[in-house]
Amino acid sequence: MTLRGLLVDYGGVLTTDVFASFDAFCAREGLPPGTVRDLFRDDPAARSLLGGLEDGTLPDAEFEAGFAALLGVSPEGLIERLLGATTADVAMLDFVRAARGRGIRTGLISNSWGSQRYDRILLDELFDGIVISGDVGVRKPDPQIYVLGAAAIGLPPQECVYVDDLPGNLKPARALGMTTVRHRTPEETLEILTACLQDAPA
C-alpha cells in the first residue's frame, strides 16, 4: 500500500535526545547520570506523576513539586530545567516541511510535557493534524492516540508511517497497521523515510 501520511513524535525526534537533556540536568544538579531516566522507568510515584503530566490531569506546578521531591531538588522551573538542553533538529523539521510541501499529509503525535512546551505557530506550519496528549486526554502507548493521529490527517493508519524514538511507542502503531520507524539519528531516519515515501503522490 502506498504511504501517504507522515506522523512523528516531538521530543527526541523533532528535537535532540531528551535523555541526554535529562543527564545534563543531572550533571548540573549533582545527581548520578541516569537518575531521571531510572525514576521514570522504575519508580511508581514518578511514573504516576509523568502520566498525569502527559494526559493533562496534573498541572505543571504539581508535577514539578512532586518530581522535585523525589529528586531532592528545587521545583522551580523543573520542566524547563529537565528539557532545557534539547534543541530543534533542523534536518528533521526541514524534512517534515518539505514532505508537506509535496502533498504528503503530516501529523504530530506527542506526549506533552506541560502546557508551554510547543511552538504552536511552527506546528501549524509543519502539520496538517496535531494530536498532543494533554489536549486529548490520552497518551502513548494507548492505541487510541494513534487512531486520533491518523484521523487528524484524514488517512487510515495503514497509509501512515510513524516515527518515534521509543520502541514501546511504536508497537501499538504497528499493531494498527502503521509502518513504523525507530528514530536513532536524523541521517538513518531520513534515509528510511525517503524510501518509504518515495511513491507518495505529489
Side-chain angles (χ1 to χ4, degrees):
M1 179 177 289
T2 299
L3 297 175
R4 300 192 295 134
L6 171 61
L7 297 167
V8 299
D9 179 32
Y10 187 82
V13 174
L14 298 183
T15 75
T16 53
D17 187 358
V18 172
F19 292 96
S21 184
F22 290 165
D23 278 345
F25 164 84
C26 289
R28 291 192 305 271
E29 298 287 340
L31 299 170
T35 297
V36 173
R37 177 201 63 210
D38 292 346
L39 277 172
F40 285 141
R41 184 183 61 194
D42 301 327
D43 186 279
R47 292 177 65 85
S48 178
L49 288 166
L50 181 60
L53 180 68
E54 289 180 336
D55 69 16
T57 58
L58 187 69
D60 295 7
E62 290 185 27
F63 166 82
E64 291 178 323
F67 195 55
L70 294 177
L71 290 168
V73 301
S74 166
E76 187 171 354
L78 182 59
I79 292 173
E80 180 58 37
R81 285 154 54 211
L82 285 165
L83 297 175
T86 59
T87 59
D89 191 311
V90 175
M92 292 299 300
L93 294 172
D94 285 348
F95 185 90
V96 174
R97 188 179 290 109
R100 189 182 191 191
R102 60 178 267 233
I104 294 166
R105 303 289 292 176
T106 58
L108 179 73
I109 303 176
S110 177
N111 279 355
S112 58
W113 264 72
S115 57
Q116 306 299 322
R117 291 298 306 174
Y118 299 94
D119 180 340
R120 299 286 179 153
I121 294 174
L122 175 63
L123 297 191
D124 287 342
E125 175 194 344
L126 294 174
F127 298 113
D128 297 294
I130 297 168
V131 177
I132 295 172
S133 63
D135 294 341
V136 299
V138 61
R139 67 189 188 107
K140 296 179 286 187
D142 188 316
Q144 184 60 26
I145 200 168
Y146 306 94
V147 173
L148 293 172
I153 62 171
L155 293 174
Q158 295 82 0
E159 294 185 20
C160 299
V161 56
Y162 174 62
V163 184
D164 202 298
D165 59 319
L166 299 180
N169 288 341
L170 294 172
K171 186 176 179 180
R174 197 159 49 244
L176 289 169
M178 291 183 183
T179 298
T180 59
V181 177
R182 183 182 178 188
H183 180 74
R184 295 181 178 88
T185 68
E187 295 78 14
E188 180 185 57
T189 296
L190 295 182
E191 181 178 356
I192 296 169
L193 288 179
T194 297
C196 286
L197 297 169
Q198 63 182 349
D199 296 326

